[in-house]
Amino acid sequence: MAAEVCKPLAGMLVVEAGDRPAVSACGSLLRDLGARVVVAEDESSATAATRPVRLAGKESVRATAMAIEQLLDVADVAITSSDTTATVAFPERRATQVRCDITAFGGSGPLSGIAASEALVQAWAGTAEVTGRRDGPPLVTPAPLLEMEAGAYAAAAVLAAIRVLRRHGIGQEIDIALYDVGVNALAAFLPLAFAGREASRDGNRHAILAPWNSYPTRDGWVMVCAPTDDQWRRLCDVVGKPGAAESLDLATSGGRLEHLEQIDLIVSAWTRDRTVAKCLDALAAAGIPSGPIIDINDLEHEPNLRHRGTVVRATDPQNSVGVLVPGPLLGERVQVAPVIPSFGATKRLAERNRAPRRGTVDRTITFGGFPLAGIRVIEIGMNTVAPLAGRQLGALGADVIKIEPPTGDVNRSNAPFRQDAGTYIFAVSNTDKRGIVLNLRDPEDARTLHALLSTADVLIENLKPGSLDRLGFSAENLRREHPGLVYCSMTGFGHDSVYKGRPALDTVVQAMSGMMAATRQDGMPTKAGISVADQLGGQLGLVAVLGALLAHDADGSGARLDIAMQDATVWAGQHIWNGASPEPCEIIGAADGYVAVVGLDRAHIAALLGVREDELGATTRALTRDEFIAAVDPTLTRIAPVRTVVEVIEADQTAARGLLVSRPTIDGDAWTVLESPLRLAATPARVRTAMPRLGVIDIALHAELTAAHATSAERAGMRAGT
């Protein structure tokens, strides 16, 4: 949620002409930023359980061919899903229109055009493979996580394209693929594959960090995450095993990753004798990220979500029943729930809407330019959340300067390591950034940061709430000294929170957002394998910053943005609220792995294979995945192989989309990193560089700072002489 009202899209008309959840997610974020959003919906949508969350705060028009053509004629922004609405003839895009097409596999590659559902894309992209217990089959999450992440990335791409439109007078096409989003979501697992280690599911553990797991208590389950050396030492004190912190086997992140069973025995022996509340009190007092696993039906009563207005109750006009809908993530906290329109309630639209154009229009931009050219971003980020936003802003052309403490981003210390001691996860998480090491407790380094901020448009950070305040860099202080600065904090529970200063990591937030309770294996709540809370926090921060930059472009205004990972993760689960359930998905073993089948029960699958249902398991285990798929559905609309991470890395679709690329560092190295999923046709996002080793000096940045310090000293001398 943003702490300030920012409506940079006021006066713009956005049309949703597609039925993917990502389409409505993108439209909802643009609605939060002030756009008028009109949804073209057909009769089947009127009674769908997902309709309240998709339509809240929007308008409804019956989706006839004529209505869609008229809507797209007047829209400033059109959001479509052409693979699932292939029978709709979309009119040609106007030169000044932004059109975003969200599909399963994008506009290129061997899988392009296949209208795969969320569950099947989770299988193709490897995110199903990394979800679930190691001793069980892969899991598909019931919440459409890739759709929701794709919706956030689509909104970011649309905002970047609107910036180009307002500055240069040209619209463009945008291609967002769920598959691209899924491959990007494997960021925590790619390092294991790159290092030649198994990259697969492991229940509620983390792929490369430990301790990180759910533990039984006397009355439930508690999630505990203490991956840094300092957190591990404090956890050992809490559980009464201080000697474990000094053990040579467990003293480092790499050692802990090798001894997961030993760590879990130490922690669970302590939690089993206590209630959830007692465990959380002790862990909170020690500053250990932890939380209870909350049921999705209890979200509206969760204290922080109620405080922040994340989940609100509205009335469904179709049946006058009370339903839950998400409050605005990027705007003013609402006291009144957004209105859900009746089906087809909007009969007429005004003539072509045009957002008020601000400033002069420069039509000299060439295809291939960057949407954020000329924007400077300062990143004070650790781990995933702010670094994700920073690398996407960098791919869009911003000059991103990453501030690291003398010890570096903690991801520089997280295994697995290359032979040269570099860390894969840091390289994957930090591209298109220049770096500088500052100790912000040192007055001279603090002045250096202020010098950088005086030249910056944006500051993004995801430190524990209050950390920058104690160093003199509170939002209030910075807004006084740098009034035009867009200041975006991305934290677990927000600065405006009932959990003041509470630390949070990905799985703790999943636990406290209903996500784990909704995803069960043999009845046990299970986290999504991908770091969905981290990623959504970064993606929503990215969207909020791009929205605030549109206002900044217009009048130089700054903004204070307060993004909570908990808000973002709850928002991502909205399509399984109000009794809605996804299409059933069966995960079935084959001779060389697993296959996901959607919309067909086991009896139907057995019939297609020509066997009895009780023979299904033995039959499929004798078939390869390709043989299984050819026998059941060669069109690939109902079935997909559950790919491993290594198979995703080597897949033709991954190569065709250019999702893994080798990029250089300024100190002569190179890393395999992720390409951006933001595919803007005229002004594409492009990953160009990886970050060097800690402390390597960027010559241009060093010269700039030297000149700034010299000017500052000269001014001080002149003042002293007068």
Side-chain angles (χ1 to χ4, degrees):
M1 176 182 295
E4 298 174 353
V5 181
C6 180
K7 301 293 184 184
L9 302 189
M12 295 198 82
L13 175 63
V14 174
V15 169
E16 295 179 17
D19 53 10
R20 284 195 174 276
V23 172
S24 65
C26 177
S28 295
L29 295 174
L30 300 179
R31 172 207 63 198
D32 287 355
L33 294 172
R36 178 190 180 193
V37 180
V38 178
V39 181
E41 56 172 342
D42 58 26
E43 297 283 351
S44 64
S45 169
T47 57
T50 58
R51 187 178 187 275
V53 298
R54 292 187 297 104
L55 272 291
K58 303 174 184 177
E59 300 177 44
S60 169
V61 169
R62 290 178 181 268
T64 64
M66 180 178 295
I68 290 175
E69 183 173 355
Q70 291 175 343
L71 282 170
L72 294 183
D73 180 59
V74 300
D76 298 295
V77 176
I79 316 166
T80 62
S81 54
S82 62
D83 59 345
T84 62
T85 52
T87 58
V88 176
F90 294 116
E92 185 177 347
R93 181 185 63 84
R94 296 194 323 275
T96 57
Q97 185 182 76
V98 173
R99 186 172 296 182
C100 180
D101 193 27
I102 309 173
T103 61
F105 298 105
S108 59
L111 299 177
S112 178
I114 297 173
S117 65
E118 162 84 19
L120 296 184
V121 180
Q122 287 190 32
W124 282 109
T127 64
E129 164 65 23
V130 301
T131 302
R133 292 198 317 273
R134 182 163 296 197
D135 62 351
L139 282 183
V140 168
T141 61
L145 299 182
L146 298 186
E147 291 272 7
M148 299 305 285
E149 289 198 11
Y153 278 129
V158 166
L159 292 169
I162 289 173
R163 187 170 196 265
V164 173
L165 173 64
R166 289 183 176 177
R167 293 169 65 85
H168 305 289
I170 61 168
Q172 58 185 303
E173 301 274 358
I174 299 168
D175 173 16
I176 299 292
L178 270 66
Y179 182 84
D180 298 1
V181 171
V183 175
N184 267 263
L186 294 175
F189 292 89
L190 294 175
L192 292 167
F194 292 160
R197 299 174 57 172
E198 183 182 12
S200 188
R201 58 196 172 278
D202 202 3
N204 290 332
R205 290 172 173 160
H206 192 280
I208 59 174
L209 302 173
W212 189 298
N213 211 343
S214 58
Y215 298 96
T217 72
R218 286 169 54 187
D219 59 349
W221 292 82
V222 63
M223 194 71 217
V224 181
C225 303
T228 70
D229 293 345
D230 180 57
Q231 288 170 337
W232 168 240
R233 285 191 292 270
R234 284 184 272 128
L235 179 60
C236 288
D237 289 339
V238 169
V239 303
K241 297 288 185 180
E246 307 304 323
S247 164
L248 292 179
D249 289 341
L250 306 179
T252 66
S253 65
R256 292 191 291 277
L257 201 59
E258 296 291 340
H259 295 86
L260 297 174
E261 301 297 338
Q262 181 181 348
I263 287 173
D264 286 346
L265 285 173
I266 291 171
V267 180
S268 63
W270 177 79
T271 61
R272 284 183 188 278
D273 294 333
R274 292 162 175 80
T275 64
V276 168
K278 289 290 185 183
C279 289
L280 293 177
D281 286 346
L283 293 165
I288 304 298
S290 57
I293 295 178
I294 295 174
D295 190 86
I296 199 164
N297 294 319
D298 296 329
L299 290 178
E300 66 175 319
H301 307 298
E302 202 283 326
N304 199 51
L305 299 176
R306 291 189 66 176
H307 174 74
R308 292 177 65 83
T310 309
V311 181
V312 294
R313 188 163 285 277
T315 300
D316 185 348
Q318 301 300 109
N319 52 23
S320 300
V321 171
V323 290
L324 298 180
V325 297
L329 288 182
L330 305 176
E332 184 179 18
R333 181 181 299 138
V334 295
Q335 301 300 321
V336 179
V339 174
I340 303 167
S342 298
F343 174 70
T346 297
K347 304 299 183 185
R348 296 183 59 188
L349 291 172
E351 294 302 312
R352 282 187 179 170
N353 261 38
R354 288 292 177 268
R357 203 178 292 284
R358 301 169 174 88
T360 58
V361 176
D362 175 9
R363 299 186 183 276
T364 62
I365 192 170
T366 59
F367 275 63
F370 287 102
L372 297 187
I375 292 295
R376 172 168 284 185
V377 177
I378 307 300
E379 176 198 307
I380 306 177
M382 294 282 187
N383 288 314
T384 301
V385 186
L388 183 151
R391 69 184 171 95
Q392 298 301 341
L393 291 168
L396 287 167
D399 175 22
V400 181
I401 300 173
K402 184 180 179 75
I403 309 298
E404 294 186 73
T407 53
D409 183 329
V410 294
N411 262 344
R412 289 191 184 268
S413 302
N414 286 333
F417 301 94
R418 279 200 322 195
Q419 290 185 342
D420 61 3
T423 58
Y424 294 97
I425 187 62
F426 179 82
V428 169
S429 302
N430 292 277
T431 48
D432 295 315
K433 301 174 186 178
R434 301 193 287 167
I436 184 171
V437 174
L438 295 177
N439 177 3
L440 298 181
R441 291 182 174 84
D442 178 87
E444 185 64 23
D445 282 3
R447 283 192 289 273
T448 297
L449 178 55
H450 274 298
L452 285 170
L453 290 171
S454 69
T455 68
D457 304 283
V458 179
L459 168 65
I460 57 175
E461 60 95 0
N462 70 317
L463 304 186
K464 181 180 174 182
S467 297
L468 283 180
D469 295 21
R470 289 188 290 273
L471 296 170
F473 292 93
S474 68
E476 293 72 21
N477 289 343
L478 291 183
R479 290 292 301 279
R480 282 195 298 271
E481 296 196 37
H482 311 287
L485 187 69
V486 174
Y487 184 129
C488 182
S489 296
M490 291 162 271
T491 59
F493 303 104
H495 280 263
D496 179 15
S497 170
V498 300
Y499 304 131
K500 295 292 185 184
R502 183 171 181 170
L505 294 174
D506 174 83
T507 313
V508 170
V509 177
Q510 286 199 43
M512 297 181 67
S513 302
M515 199 61 69
M516 288 180 65
T519 307
R520 292 181 179 264
Q521 189 161 38
D522 299 329
M524 181 179 177
T526 304
K527 75 179 183 71
I530 59 174
S531 301
V532 62
D534 283 343
Q535 291 163 2
L536 285 160
Q539 291 155 8
L540 268 293
L542 171 67
V543 173
V545 165
L546 289 167
L549 279 174
L550 291 177
H552 178 76
D553 285 343
D555 56 20
S557 60
R560 171 69 170 98
L561 307 172
D562 179 17
I563 302 298
M565 294 158 57
Q566 187 187 30
D567 289 348
T569 312
V570 168
W571 173 81
Q574 63 185 270
H575 283 262
I576 54 173
W577 297 357
N578 303 315
S581 58
E583 195 172 21
C585 178
E586 294 279 350
I587 302 292
I588 300 175
D592 58 347
Y594 291 90
V595 167
V597 186
V598 171
L600 303 175
D601 61 23
R602 295 178 69 85
H604 195 168
I605 297 166
L608 290 171
L609 293 172
V611 300
R612 297 194 311 270
E613 186 177 351
D614 62 356
E615 299 173 328
L616 182 60
T619 301
T620 61
R621 284 192 294 272
L623 299 173
T624 66
R625 288 173 297 176
D626 287 346
E627 290 169 340
F628 188 166
I629 290 168
V632 172
D633 183 15
T635 68
L636 301 178
T637 58
R638 289 290 183 184
I639 192 167
V642 178
R643 280 181 170 166
T644 67
V645 175
V646 171
E647 288 173 335
V648 172
I649 291 171
E650 298 173 349
D652 290 343
Q653 186 69 20
T654 302
R657 299 291 288 175
L659 295 174
L660 291 169
V661 292
S662 178
R663 292 295 181 260
T665 68
I666 61 171
D667 57 343
D669 207 345
W671 290 89
T672 297
V673 295
L674 287 159
E675 185 55 274
S676 174
L678 307 177
R679 302 298 176 100
L680 291 82
T683 56
R686 298 192 302 276
V687 173
R688 291 149 289 151
T689 62
M691 282 196 72
R693 291 170 176 80
L694 183 67
V696 171
I697 295 174
D698 182 288
I699 295 174
L701 182 58
H702 179 72
E704 179 185 333
L705 291 172
T706 299
H709 282 302
T711 301
S712 178
E714 181 180 346
R715 288 174 177 168
M718 291 176 63
R719 287 195 298 270
T722 58

